[in-house]
Amino acid sequence: IRASFSYEMVQWLLQNFPQNISYYSCDASKEAVGYVFKQILPPAVGEAVFDNSERTLEDLVRKVSGKNTDVLRWVITQFEASDFSDKSKEQLFEQLLIYVDWNTSSSSPTGTFARVEAGKKFFFTGHELIRHADMKKIFSDKKLNPIQLSGSQKKHLCDVAKGVLCSHYREIDPITYSETSETELYDIGRGITIALYYMRPSWRLSSESYVSYMAFRNSVPFSYGGGWLFFDRTKLAGNVFAPFRGGESAYLFANLYRLYHLRFGVNCFQVDPYQIGERNNDAITSGAFWFYYRLGFRPNDEKLLALAEEENTKRTADKKYRSPASVLRKFTHAEMILNLSPQIHLSHQQILKKMEETVVANFDRNFAEYFESCFAELKKTCKKHRV
């Protein structure tokens, strides 16, 4: 597997597979290499190495430590020794565009070999696939089935998720920067277990809570994604690995929504346009819009809602009818919503937009002054109510 990963992920790979990770290349310009290491290296070393000269990463390592030095390990050592915050290290490391080789084996937690031995196995002999999920029936089950995990089992779940995503050339923050001790696992039934991953405090978002998942069937990883929670509303995005598509994806996602509903009190689910085809031809080809429509999601736009109902009438009347790609692309002009309550759920983006309008109208675009005003009002309110 040859890819460019985050600083955190490269550290994890080196710690867990030291004999199987090697440096391949650096795609950063000489200017970028100089910019990064003038900050990372001790001042005296940086001044001596970059004195009126520009160097590739390989040239830099040879100059400082000799030609036989392992480039990747040298870079990681310099970053680990620096005083920068974790986020600053990530931003600097990203600019280096370093590619690594991971020579995997049967002991590597990749999509091929990773296993999570938890939950009851399920065999399809005598059982038909659940092609269309009954949301009302699934949501009528109000019981969560958490699986008790030891510390080593939680670490294994995190390692599996990291390895599986790396083997698909992907990363998502709650898994890359996971808080191992908070990892959870739930038994959904029919051989499906869903793990939830939370980010370390230093990486958490200011207002939304980003919680990702990885789903397993009979111990085999087959889906991943995440939700951005804001009070009782969440954007939820998911992906089923290609070999497992066409099976019980609807059943998985219906239970995933139920899990987020029961675990986090989510009553409003949002699907972004990308999931149904905006800049995503695979979603157009697969008709992803109708996948979510059957689960109860509807366009958050009156005109598109009317168009969806019109298209659905055609589909019902003629089982062979398929919505043209041009129509499916129209649906990407709005998000889709599944609302479990009659309340209006303001999204994070709507509140930020309203805040920006307020700052422009009343504070002459001065966000600092706006926040000072908010804190003053908060103090006044707390004092009034003796909080």
Side-chain angles (χ1 to χ4, degrees), residues 2-282:
R2 179 171 295 159
S4 178
F5 295 117
S6 67
Y7 169 67
E8 179 88 13
M9 194 62 79
V10 171
Q11 276 189 308
W12 176 79
L13 288 167
L14 284 171
Q15 289 166 4
N16 290 274
F17 314 99
Q19 305 304 317
N20 303 93
I21 304 299
S22 59
Y23 172 79
Y24 177 71
S25 70
C26 170
D27 282 4
S29 65
K30 292 180 179 179
E31 293 82 358
V33 171
Y35 171 77
V36 170
F37 283 99
K38 282 177 184 177
Q39 299 181 71
I40 291 292
L41 292 173
V45 178
E47 292 168 6
V49 172
F50 293 104
D51 183 23
N52 297 321
S53 62
E54 296 178 343
R55 301 181 184 279
T56 64
L57 180 59
E58 292 86 347
D59 289 340
L60 169 64
V61 175
R62 282 195 292 267
K63 174 71 174 178
V64 175
S65 299
K67 64 179 181 179
N68 295 322
T69 303
D70 185 300
V71 174
L72 181 63
R73 286 162 176 78
W74 183 89
V75 170
I76 296 299
T77 298
Q78 308 315 310
F79 270 74
E80 289 175 342
S82 74
D83 294 329
F84 285 98
S85 67
D86 290 343
K87 288 187 177 180
S88 295
K89 288 179 183 180
E90 279 292 5
Q91 292 168 352
L92 290 169
F93 188 81
E94 183 180 1
Q95 295 183 49
L96 293 176
L97 298 173
I98 289 178
Y99 281 76
V100 301
D101 281 345
W102 180 17
N103 295 312
T104 62
S105 65
S106 59
S107 61
S108 305
T110 63
T112 304
F113 296 109
R115 297 292 181 268
V116 173
E117 298 298 337
K120 296 180 180 179
K121 296 293 189 295
F122 180 80
F123 297 91
F124 281 89
T125 304
H127 297 271
E128 292 186 1
L129 287 171
I130 299 177
R131 296 288 188 183
H132 304 293
D134 185 337
M135 290 287 282
K136 185 176 291 188
K137 180 180 179 181
I138 288 172
F139 269 77
S140 67
D141 183 359
K142 305 297 184 182
K143 183 181 179 182
L144 285 176
N145 296 303
I147 297 174
Q148 296 300 314
L149 300 170
S150 64
S152 61
Q153 288 174 317
K154 291 180 179 181
K155 181 180 182 303
H156 178 67
L157 273 172
C158 291
D159 287 343
V160 163
K162 288 183 173 77
V164 169
L165 290 186
C166 280
S167 68
H168 286 85
Y169 305 95
R170 297 171 188 174
E171 290 186 59
I172 54 178
D173 286 355
I175 288 177
T176 296
Y177 310 110
S178 58
E179 180 63 73
T180 304
S181 63
E182 295 185 2
T183 306
E184 301 170 353
L185 186 66
Y186 294 88
D187 189 348
I188 304 302
R190 294 178 68 83
I192 297 175
T193 53
I194 298 178
L196 296 179
Y197 301 90
Y198 303 84
M199 284 195 284
R200 297 198 297 270
S202 61
W203 284 96
R204 291 173 189 168
L205 306 179
S206 59
S207 51
E208 293 177 301
S209 296
Y210 187 10
V211 180
S212 69
Y213 81 88
M214 183 164 283
F216 306 85
R217 185 154 219 167
N218 291 341
S219 81
V220 179
F222 77 102
S223 177
Y224 78 96
W228 292 259
L229 294 100
F230 186 70
F231 292 101
D232 60 348
R233 175 175 178 141
T234 187
K235 292 182 292 182
L236 195 59
N239 180 45
V240 175
F241 295 129
F244 302 95
R245 294 172 189 167
E248 294 191 333
S249 298
Y251 180 78
L252 165 68
F253 282 104
N255 276 283
L256 184 65
Y257 301 140
R258 185 180 73 89
L259 175 58
Y260 274 70
H261 169 63
L262 295 175
R263 178 65 181 84
F264 305 113
V266 173
N267 289 312
C268 184
F269 295 92
Q270 171 189 335
V271 171
D272 280 350
Y274 175 82
Q275 295 292 314
I276 57 175
E278 184 184 50
R279 307 183 315 278
N280 184 353
N281 288 328
D282 286 345

Side-chain angles (χ1 to χ4, degrees), residues 334-353:
E335 62 191 14
M336 297 185 77
I337 297 292
L338 172 62
N339 201 344
L340 304 179
S341 73
Q343 295 177 329
I344 296 175
H345 304 265
L346 291 177
S347 70
H348 181 240
Q349 290 77 12
Q350 288 171 315
I351 291 177
L352 288 178
K353 184 178 180 181

